[in-house]
Amino acid sequence: MLEVSGLTTKYGEISALREASLHVGSGEVIGLIGPNGAGKTTLLNTIAGLLAPSGGRVSLDDEDVTGHSPERLLRSGLALVPEHRRIFVNLTVEENLRIGGVTVPSADRPGLLEEMSERFPVLRDKWTTSAGYLSGGEAQQLAIARALMSRPRLLMMDEPSLGLAPLLVDVVFELIDALRAQGRTLLVVEQNATRMLELADRAYVLRSGEVVAEGTGTELRDNKDLFDTFVGN
Ligand code: ATP
């Protein structure tokens, strides 16, 4: 479904991503792990059209989408739950969700809202509350639900468990598992490599902007040197 080849992204003269390649098949859950500053966020943001690559190619179902705008990519079925959630704190839960659904036909939006209210009981209970009053875990669920409102073919999440209390980290991983069970296609950046590897079909390890390893959770965990050096958590 998603094919990334030789993707390079620079901040000024510095290459934060160097010729990164990966692929995500339909229905796969793929982890993206690696130490701080490895380029994970840069990779997701480049795929999502928020950053312009200086080289390489991104294709979605064999269509070259390199350099397309985030909105166009969203319409093509690629949604991103950004780092630090970035929900609209002055808008209610429902309004945030409605914004997430702007790219789908208006006739489909009530059904999607209904689906989100069923899947996320904590959001249903705070439907008309300003999103600024949500706890970290609730805000993360809202950010994910907002992305799901666009009915993505591929959902990318950047550090969904970051900064959450342990119990809420469990909630986020359970949610990822539930989305997987539904057959959704996911590409997830996670600091919590151990848990991500338990859940993912495969994962890519990034270090200093390069993809240095790829494999199933078992393969990557069995490679002790790699796991301790590149992942370490
Ligand atoms: P983290 O887990 O800390 O978020 P990451 O793997 O997501 O790390 P990136 O945030 O993609 O890594 O950063 C990759 C490199 O690019 C780092 O060296 C970082 O300092 C640098 N970088 C990130 N954003 C910018 C920016 N806006 N301007 C300049 N350099 C940046």
Side-chain angles (χ1 to χ4, degrees), residues 63-115:
E63 185 200 351
D64 185 351
V65 296
T66 321
H68 286 193
S69 70
E71 195 203 327
R72 190 165 169 201
L73 287 163
L74 193 63
R75 289 183 190 279
S76 302
L78 198 153
L80 170 68
V81 181
E83 200 172 17
H84 309 306
R85 330 199 209 293
R86 306 222 180 278
I87 50 174
F88 298 104
V89 292
N90 295 323
L91 301 182
T92 66
V93 165
E94 180 184 356
E95 287 163 345
N96 269 276
L97 293 174
R98 286 186 181 279
I99 287 174
V102 291
T103 55
V104 298
S106 51
D108 295 350
R109 292 177 204 161
L112 280 161
L113 284 170
E114 184 63 31
E115 192 186 323

Side-chain angles (χ1 to χ4, degrees), residues 48 73-74 77-81 147-148 150 152-157:
L73 287 163
L74 193 63
L78 198 153
L80 170 68
V81 181
L148 289 173
S150 70
R153 286 188 289 156
L154 169 66
L155 178 63
M156 302 195 294
M157 299 187 208

Side-chain angles (χ1 to χ4, degrees), residues 11 16 34-43 83 158-159 189 191:
Y11 297 107
N36 284 340
K40 305 179 297 294
T41 295
T42 303
L43 177 52
E83 200 172 17
D158 195 350
E159 305 274 15
V189 165
Q191 284 280 320

